[in-house]
């Protein structure tokens, strides 16, 4: 929420606004059809060790259970909107995701259970269709503790991932491995069983995610549609695997909230940070280390033969991330304030001392990430931010 003392008095006694710290939406996450927390998992990769890879992977699969797949076939809209693109080239986000996904498969990491409120009940859920939307929904619901039956008309799972994308672009060994990891959550898989009507499964289920077909995704309970993909929008988004994964996630979340009794009002998203308000000169220039997803047009670059190698390259590319819209603990606001109004907190991070601030906005202008902002009705700010110091 906006902090309670957004005004102070300057040296002449005039009332003035004071800045606050915000956690704005980065353009990469805003552009991601799969709703991944892109900034957070890329920043987690900035050390070249396995713990960093695992932290990043856990954050990816919380939204997208197919990182090795999307790391090969995604059209990388996140890179198109990356603020670093105007400086020296976008961060190679898709390649990072693919390498994280490959590493996880090589290590045999299992999908972790999702956080669950006390007393939430387990329901019987049917997911119809095993393309990216159905796999996404089934994964999310099974990780939340529900009993999921996955129905597929064909004899193999994967939908258009298997039938519509060549094995050269998406090796079947990668697709099969990530699907196997989802079914290992305890799914009851029914292949070769085409279903034509929701009623065919709704009678034996507490809820249904209908994900049969590239243009259809909805969550239903008896007599009620909880969520369905938008039918009419101002723009016509490209129908991609990442968009389908995001729709499966939304359908699963709606069904889980209804059946577990945890429905509530989701928090509103913060505005997307404006790259023109970031002090990008702080970052210098560093050309991309890994191949760009935009340059390769939906086809992955060459990967190392050993998925466990190349951690230094991954960390180097991740360190090009500018942490758009989120404090990166660089100390610059503290160093440039002429009134010593920004204190370093013992716990790590910064606090704005309203009695000393004169509202000059120097810290706002100098903030590399755009996380320091002046008060605005659409932005939630706080007078302090907790961040560990940079090494």
């Amino acid at each position: 929420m906006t902090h309670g003392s957004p005004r102070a008095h300057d040296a002449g006694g005039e009332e003035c606004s004071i800045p606050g710290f915000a956690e704005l939406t980065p353009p990469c996450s805003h552009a991601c059809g799969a709703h991944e927390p892109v900034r957070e998992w890329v920043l987690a990769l900035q050390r070249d060790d396995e713990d960093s890879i695992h932290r990043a992977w856990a954050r990816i699969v919380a939204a997208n259970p197919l990182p090795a797949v999307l790391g090969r076939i995604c059209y990388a809209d996140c890179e198109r909107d990356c603020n670093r693109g105007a400086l020296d080239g976008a961060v190679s986000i898709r390649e990072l995701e693919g390498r994280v996904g490959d590493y996880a498969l090589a290590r045999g990491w299992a999908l972790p259970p999702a956080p669950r409120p006390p007393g939430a009940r387990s329901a019987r859920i049917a997911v119809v269709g095993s393309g990216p939307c159905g796999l996404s929904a089934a994964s999310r619901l099974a990780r939340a503790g529900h009993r999921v039956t996955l129905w597929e008309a064909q004899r193999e799972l994967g939908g258009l991932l298997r039938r519509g994308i060549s094995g050269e672009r998406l090796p079947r060994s990668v697709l099969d491995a990530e699907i196997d990891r989802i079914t290992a959550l305890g799914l009851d898989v029914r292949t070769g069983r085409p279903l034509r009507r929701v009623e065919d499964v709704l009678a034996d289920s507490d809820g249904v995610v209908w994900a049969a077909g590239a243009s259809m995704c909805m969550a239903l309970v008896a007599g009620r549609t909880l969520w369905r993909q938008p039918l009419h929008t101002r723009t016509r988004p490209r129908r991609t695997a990442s968009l389908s994964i995001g729709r499966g996630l939304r359908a699963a979340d709606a069904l889980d909230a209804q059946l577990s009794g945890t429905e509530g009002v989701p928090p509103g998203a913060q505005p997307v940070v404006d790259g023109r308000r970031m002090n990008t000169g702080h970052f210098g220039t560093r050309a991309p280390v890994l191949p760009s997803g935009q340059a390769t047009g939906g086809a992955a670059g060459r990967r190392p033969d050993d998925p466990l190698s190349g951690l230094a390259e991954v960390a180097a590319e991740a360190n090009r991330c500018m942490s758009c819209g989120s404090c990166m603990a660089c100390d610059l606001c503290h160093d440039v304030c002429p009134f010593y109004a920004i204190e370093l907190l013992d716990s790590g991070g910064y606090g704005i001392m309203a009695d000393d601030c004169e509202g000059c906005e120097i810290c706002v202008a100098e903030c590399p990430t755009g996380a320091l902002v002046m008060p605005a009705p659409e932005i939630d700010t706080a007078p302090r931010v907790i961040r560990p110091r940079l090494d």
Side-chain angles (χ1 to χ4, degrees), residues 38-118:
V38 179
R39 176 183 61 204
E40 284 68 30
W41 69 253
V42 171
L43 291 175
L45 291 172
Q46 292 186 336
R47 296 181 184 274
D48 58 347
D49 56 50
E50 185 168 295
D51 286 345
S52 298
I53 297 284
H54 191 272
R55 283 195 301 273
W57 176 78
R59 289 172 178 170
I60 294 171
V61 298
N64 162 32
L66 303 166
V69 169
L70 277 197
R72 287 171 165 81
I73 67 171
C74 182
Y75 284 91
D77 291 340
C78 53
E79 295 182 30
R80 178 200 63 204
D81 289 1
C82 176
N83 282 325
R84 183 120 204 176
L87 187 61
D88 51 16
V91 176
S92 299
I93 299 167
R94 191 189 66 185
E95 184 70 13
L96 287 173
E97 179 167 7
R99 295 204 182 196
V100 169
D102 289 353
Y103 194 102
L105 290 177
R107 284 295 192 219
W109 291 341
L111 292 170
R116 195 145 177 80

Side-chain angles (χ1 to χ4, degrees), residues 129-143:
S130 72
C133 179
L135 290 171
S136 172
S139 170
R140 181 72 158 194
L141 291 164
R143 290 176 59 228

Side-chain angles (χ1 to χ4, degrees), residues 326-377:
S326 181
C327 174
M328 58 182 283
C330 66
D331 289 356
L332 191 56
C333 57
H334 170 268
D335 294 343
V336 301
C337 179
F339 305 106
Y340 304 99
I342 297 180
E343 62 177 334
L344 301 178
L345 304 179
D346 292 339
S347 55
Y350 314 93
I352 298 174
M353 297 179 286
D355 290 344
D356 296 320
C357 179
E358 301 222 2
C360 67
E361 302 188 34
I362 291 176
C363 59
V364 173
E366 293 295 330
C367 180
T369 69
L372 258 174
V373 297
M374 299 305 290

Side-chain angles (χ1 to χ4, degrees), residues 76-309:
D77 291 340
C78 53
E79 295 182 30
R80 178 200 63 204
D81 289 1
C82 176
N83 282 325
R84 183 120 204 176
L87 187 61
D88 51 16
V91 176
S92 299
I93 299 167
R94 191 189 66 185
E95 184 70 13
L96 287 173
E97 179 167 7
R99 295 204 182 196
V100 169
D102 289 353
Y103 194 102
L105 290 177
R107 284 295 192 219
W109 291 341
L111 292 170
R116 195 145 177 80
R121 74 183 186 95
S122 174
R124 299 168 303 156
I125 297 175
V127 176
V128 181
S130 72
C133 179
L135 290 171
S136 172
S139 170
R140 181 72 158 194
L141 291 164
R143 290 176 59 228
H146 298 291
R147 292 161 286 159
V148 177
T149 300
L150 179 60
W151 297 82
E152 169 54 49
Q154 305 298 318
R155 297 198 175 276
E156 292 184 283
L157 301 179
L160 286 177
L161 294 174
R162 189 177 300 279
R163 303 194 311 275
I165 300 175
S166 72
E168 181 180 4
R169 185 176 169 204
L170 176 57
R172 295 301 177 254
S173 60
V174 172
L175 176 60
D176 290 340
E178 292 210 308
I179 290 177
D180 288 347
R181 188 170 57 199
I182 294 171
T183 60
L185 293 167
L187 272 59
D188 179 6
V189 176
R190 312 277 182 93
T191 57
R193 305 284 293 276
L195 298 173
R196 304 301 180 194
R197 302 180 307 161
V198 173
E199 292 79 5
D200 293 340
V201 288
L202 191 55
D204 297 322
S205 307
D206 297 309
V208 174
V209 172
W210 190 269
S215 300
M216 177 63 67
C217 183
M218 51 186 174
L220 310 102
V221 293
R224 182 181 173 195
T225 299
L226 302 175
W227 183 91
R228 67 182 302 160
Q229 69 185 56
L231 297 180
H232 302 286
T233 60
R234 291 183 180 179
T235 60
R236 287 186 139 187
R238 184 166 42 190
R239 292 188 298 183
T240 62
S242 58
L243 186 64
S244 293
I245 286 172
R247 287 172 171 171
L249 178 68
R250 289 291 180 261
D253 280 346
L255 194 55
D256 176 51
Q258 169 72 19
L259 295 177
S260 61
T262 58
E263 284 185 291
V265 179
Q270 288 273 63
V272 177
V273 64
D274 185 347
R276 296 169 298 180
R277 295 184 179 274
M278 294 169 54
N279 175 20
T280 57
H282 172 82
F283 298 99
T285 55
R286 282 187 289 173
V289 177
L290 298 178
S292 164
Q294 286 285 298
T296 50
R302 182 175 176 80
R303 295 275 163 74
D305 294 331
D306 178 10
L308 303 181
S309 67

Side-chain angles (χ1 to χ4, degrees), residues 9-15 358:
H9 293 84
D10 61 20
E14 295 294 325
E15 191 178 63
E358 301 222 2

